[in-house]
Amino acid sequence: MTTTRRTLLQSGAAAAALANAPGVLRAQTAPAAASTVRAVMQGDLRAFDPIWTTANITAYHGAMIYDTLFALDADMKPQPQMVGKYGVSDDKLTYTFELRDGLRFSDGSPVTADDVVASIWRWAARDGGGQHMMQRVKDISRKDDRTFEIALKERYGLVVDLMAKTSTPLLYIMRKKEAETDPNQQVTAFVGSGPFTFNQEETKQGARYVYDRSSTYAPRPEAPSGLSGGKVAKVQRVIYENMDQMTGLSALQAGEIDFLELPPIDLLDQLEGDRNIKVEVLNKTGNVGWIRLNFLHSPFNNPDARRAMLYVVNQEEYLKASFGNPKYYRKCPSNFACGTPMENDANTGWFREAPSPAKARELFQKAGYDGRPVVILHATNIDYMNNTAQLTAQRLREIGINVQLATSDWGGVVTRRAVRTPPDQGGWNIFITSAGGASVGNPIALSGHAASGEKGWFGWPADETHEALRNKWASAGSLDEQKAVARELQKNAWNFVPHVWFGQWLSPVAYRSNLHGVLAIPEIIPFWNIEKVRA
């Protein structure tokens, strides 16, 4: 990686935010082990603002300390969460929402409509779905302390759905003071509206992140269902321990931690034979592997180079390298994930032909590839990212592409992927990530489905036809109409190639069998409703 002042400053931003933030909780007596859950999550928590980044680990952090206006239940239907009641005008142009009783931030101050309005504006500036909605919004305004209103310029049936979505960034509610922070800058105070508080005094950057049960949070009375319902913190403390997955596996088996998000797939049989450990798939739709291409710089500013990538990837090879057991993975050519309502086979002839090194080489030549390095951001601390980056580099080198791996951990990738300068000035050409299948199946909710250029998500694809079709999908009057538009979207997408998927998989978690109440939710790992019973 070429270090510049800009990248140096960005990499230190999260640490500075944590160090400079006012402590919400002061040092206190540590809760008993029986009321503490220790978890090893997917990677280090480098960014603490869940609106500023789409990193899943930051979304987990956000779900701990913030609440949402709406949430998806176990059937993936939106339900009121911080909202008590709401209604829509007869002309479907005005939505009115009233907050439920008892909402307070972790500093004891009440949650008001002013906080909500500011939070919506900031979220919508960063989120692809929010940006899409705001094109139709006339105004968002406070009516009284507990009531706010969204006035539309035209009918838009996705307002509640987008407020409830689980794809990152979620619409978390912050105090007005933080929500008025420039959306392109991270907040530096973490006063939440959710079931836990962020204990900055006990947190040690790069080692552990500590959350304590909030004394001010009032859960809904309903039983939890998905991300909706009562978020009851049944343990006093949750600690994210930062360690690699193999160390985490050993710690789980020894009882030193309670929860491991990404146990190595090839060792699951061993874990399933341990009566003290439970292995479970929480995200039933699974994840979709993502090779993201940068439209701003050569070679992928040329559509032929992007099309070449479709012929580079052998999904079976990629999936087998990271997940081994076919029980947990499947190949999928759909741009909207397999097993979702929008799955289709439009314009997938390339999938039957791939991999084809000769075709890929021909398309790179047609694109005028000039031998300059293709920089792949290479996260080494998450197995599938590590394997996929190395495999992509190998296959590209085999067809004559000059590849450089920019090696770091996932936190480093999260920082660098936001850099728009050319690859030789700290930018990039490719990075590897994944998204939940449920979100991939929604052309609006997933930020990465936007093709709005530099207003969009990292990689910044631009295609006017794609955006027009997303608008058409959003205004469709029925599921059948949406499916028909999804076919049009996919046909066009696999012509201009906003990204390449490398397959779909289930990712089981592993936890100690004395943890009860773990909720099965797509894309978020919740720690409310969990309790530890005597082993």
Side-chain angles (χ1 to χ4, degrees):
M1 172 178 175
T2 301
T3 302
T4 66
R5 182 175 183 273
R6 178 176 183 176
T7 57
L8 181 63
L9 289 173
Q10 285 179 320
S11 65
L18 182 60
N20 295 329
V24 175
L25 293 176
R26 298 301 168 189
Q28 55 186 263
T29 302
S35 193
T36 300
V37 171
R38 295 179 181 272
V40 173
M41 310 306 286
Q42 60 182 250
D44 191 20
L45 178 60
R46 294 287 189 88
F48 301 92
D49 183 345
I51 305 302
W52 180 82
T53 181
T54 56
N56 282 42
I57 185 65
T58 306
Y60 299 171
H61 161 83
M64 295 291 281
I65 67 174
Y66 302 107
D67 209 351
T68 57
L69 296 171
F70 290 83
L72 296 180
D73 65 18
D75 296 320
M76 300 300 287
K77 295 179 180 178
Q79 302 295 341
Q81 189 62 27
M82 297 179 79
V83 167
K85 59 183 179 181
Y86 71 102
V88 186
S89 62
D90 290 342
D91 62 6
K92 302 295 190 294
L93 293 178
T94 304
Y95 286 73
T96 303
F97 306 87
E98 182 179 299
L99 297 174
R100 64 183 175 90
D101 293 334
L103 297 180
R104 292 191 174 276
F105 290 105
S106 56
D107 66 352
S109 62
V111 178
T112 71
D114 286 326
D115 301 304
V116 171
V117 170
S119 293
I120 295 174
W121 280 115
R122 185 168 189 266
W123 161 80
R126 298 288 299 190
D127 178 67
Q131 292 169 1
H132 194 267
M133 181 177 80
M134 285 301 167
Q135 295 173 22
R136 288 115 181 124
V137 169
K138 182 190 301 181
D139 192 26
I140 305 175
S141 59
R142 169 194 183 276
K143 294 300 155 187
D144 58 43
D145 280 350
R146 290 176 53 188
T147 309
F148 66 98
E149 188 175 275
I150 297 179
L152 302 174
K153 294 180 284 188
E154 60 186 77
R155 291 188 179 191
Y156 188 70
L158 302 180
V159 172
V160 170
D161 300 75
L162 291 173
M163 288 181 171
K165 71 183 181 67
T166 58
S167 58
T168 58
L170 286 74
L171 175 49
Y172 292 122
I173 301 304
M174 302 178 175
R175 294 185 306 182
K176 181 183 179 191
K177 179 179 179 180
E178 284 75 56
E180 289 181 336
T181 302
D182 182 338
N184 295 310
Q185 303 295 324
Q186 293 195 60
V187 299
T188 57
F190 312 105
V191 178
S193 53
F196 291 90
T197 58
F198 185 31
N199 187 333
Q200 296 161 223
E201 295 292 326
E202 298 293 330
T203 288
K204 297 186 185 303
Q205 179 87 31
R208 66 181 54 87
Y209 304 87
V210 180
Y211 304 88
D212 289 314
R213 182 167 58 201
S214 174
S215 62
T216 62
Y217 181 72
R220 292 189 69 91
E222 302 95 341
S225 173
L227 271 178
S228 71
K231 297 180 178 179
V232 179
K234 296 182 178 180
V235 294
Q236 293 182 46
R237 176 169 287 183
V238 176
I239 302 174
Y240 291 175
E241 300 280 7
N242 185 32
M243 60 182 73
D244 66 78
Q245 299 306 309
M246 288 304 298
T247 304
L249 177 66
S250 297
L252 180 70
Q253 291 174 309
E256 296 166 357
I257 66 166
D258 305 290
F259 186 98
L260 180 62
E261 181 182 359
L262 295 177
I265 293 284
D266 57 347
L267 296 178
L268 287 179
D269 289 344
Q270 174 185 327
L271 292 177
E272 289 170 343
D274 187 335
R275 65 182 180 85
N276 295 311
I277 294 174
K278 184 172 182 180
V279 176
E280 183 179 2
V281 174
L282 302 182
N283 183 353
K284 309 299 184 184
T285 313
N287 300 297
V288 183
W290 204 344
I291 298 174
R292 190 66 168 181
L293 309 173
N294 191 335
F295 274 53
L296 299 183
H297 307 294
S298 178
F300 299 119
N301 58 357
N302 187 296
D304 285 315
R306 299 194 300 271
R307 292 186 194 109
M309 292 299 295
L310 295 175
Y311 295 93
V312 167
V313 174
N314 178 349
Q315 287 195 5
E316 179 70 28
E317 179 183 42
Y318 277 62
L319 292 166
K320 189 174 182 179
S322 290
F323 306 107
N325 190 342
K327 169 183 176 182
Y328 293 110
Y329 70 73
R330 65 187 295 185
K331 298 187 293 182
C332 181
S334 174
N335 193 35
F336 300 110
C338 290
T340 70
M342 297 304 117
E343 175 189 355
N344 69 84
D345 62 358
N347 195 13
T348 54
W350 58 268
F351 188 74
R352 292 185 290 275
E353 188 178 346
S356 174
K359 181 71 171 178
R361 185 183 296 109
E362 174 190 332
L363 285 165
F364 270 113
Q365 290 172 348
K366 186 178 178 183
Y369 174 65
D370 58 5
R372 73 183 66 184
V374 170
V375 175
I376 301 178
L377 302 187
H378 173 210
T380 59
N381 62 322
I382 299 177
D383 285 346
Y384 81 84
M385 294 182 180
N386 181 26
N387 296 339
T388 300
Q390 294 194 64
L391 189 53
T392 301
Q394 179 181 342
R395 294 294 172 253
L396 285 172
R397 286 168 180 152
E398 289 171 354
I399 61 170
I401 307 301
N402 180 7
V403 177
Q404 290 182 0
L405 288 172
T407 299
S408 68
D409 63 8
W410 173 237
V413 173
V414 168
T415 299
R416 187 166 173 178
R417 69 181 182 178
V419 177
R420 301 189 188 197
T421 54
D424 62 355
Q425 298 176 34
W428 57 277
N429 296 110
I430 293 173
F431 77 87
I432 312 302
T433 189
S434 64
S439 293
V440 174
N442 187 310
I444 305 300
L446 184 74
S447 293
H449 274 318
S452 51
E454 295 200 32
K455 295 179 181 179
W457 196 63
F458 313 113
W460 308 286
D463 188 86
E464 292 182 1
T465 299
H466 186 80
E467 287 302 287
L469 287 170
R470 289 207 311 145
N471 292 341
K472 184 177 178 181
W473 186 92
S475 62
S478 68
L479 179 61
D480 285 342
E481 287 182 36
Q482 287 182 329
K483 289 180 177 181
V485 179
R487 290 189 64 84
E488 294 182 70
L489 271 162
Q490 182 165 300
K491 181 179 179 181
N492 180 63
W494 293 144
N495 286 332
F496 83 94
V497 193
H499 43 241
V500 177
W501 305 117
F502 62 88
Q504 193 165 340
W505 68 87
L506 299 175
S507 185
V509 302
Y511 55 90
R512 301 291 296 183
S513 56
N514 66 325
L515 284 193
H516 290 188
V518 178
L519 296 169
I521 297 173
E523 302 177 287
I524 295 293
I525 305 286
F527 285 92
W528 55 87
N529 200 54
I530 290 178
E531 55 186 331
K532 289 178 76 171
V533 300
R534 190 180 299 274

